[in-house]
Amino acid sequence: MRKIASPLSMVVLLFGIFSVSLARNFDFFRDHYVGAVISSIIIALVLALISEKGFWRKIALWLIVIAVLLIIFLFVLMGVLWNKP
C-alpha cells in the first residue's frame, strides 16, 4: 500500500483540481466542486504522508502545496477584483 500511495495521492489531487473544470459542464460538479477540491486535498495529503519516502512522495507533497497556494491566490484575487466600492 505504501508504494502506490504517492501516485494515488497525485491522482486524487488531479481529480479534485479537474472537478473545477468539470463544473462548467455538469451540474453535480457545479454544486459541489468546492467540497470536492477540499476533500481531495485532504485525502491526497494523508496518502502522501503515509507513502514511502522518496522522489514520488516529494512530488506529491509539492503538488499539494502548489494546489493550496493556487486556491488561496484565487480567493485573494476574487476579493481584490470583485469588491470594488
Side-chain angles (χ1 to χ4, degrees):
M1 174 67 184
R2 289 179 61 142
K3 283 189 175 190
I4 63 167
S6 292
L8 188 61
S9 169
M10 289 187 276
V11 168
V12 169
L13 184 66
L14 289 176
F15 171 75
I17 291 171
F18 286 131
S19 69
V20 176
S21 64
L22 289 173
R24 296 183 64 199
N25 299 324
F26 300 106
D27 290 333
F28 175 77
F29 288 106
R30 190 172 297 139
D31 296 336
H32 303 291
Y33 78 91
V34 174
V37 170
I38 300 291
S39 62
S40 71
I41 288 174
I42 292 170
I43 292 169
L45 181 64
V46 169
L47 285 172
L49 290 176
I50 65 169
S51 66
E52 288 183 348
K53 292 182 180 178
F55 178 72
W56 291 109
R57 180 181 181 174
K58 289 180 184 177
I59 297 251
L61 289 173
W62 275 107
L63 283 175
I64 293 168
V65 168
I66 290 170
V68 169
L69 289 176
L70 284 175
I71 290 171
I72 291 171
F73 178 69
L74 174 71
F75 283 111
V76 167
L77 186 67
M78 285 188 330
V80 168
L81 293 179
W82 288 340
N83 285 334
K84 295 200 177 198

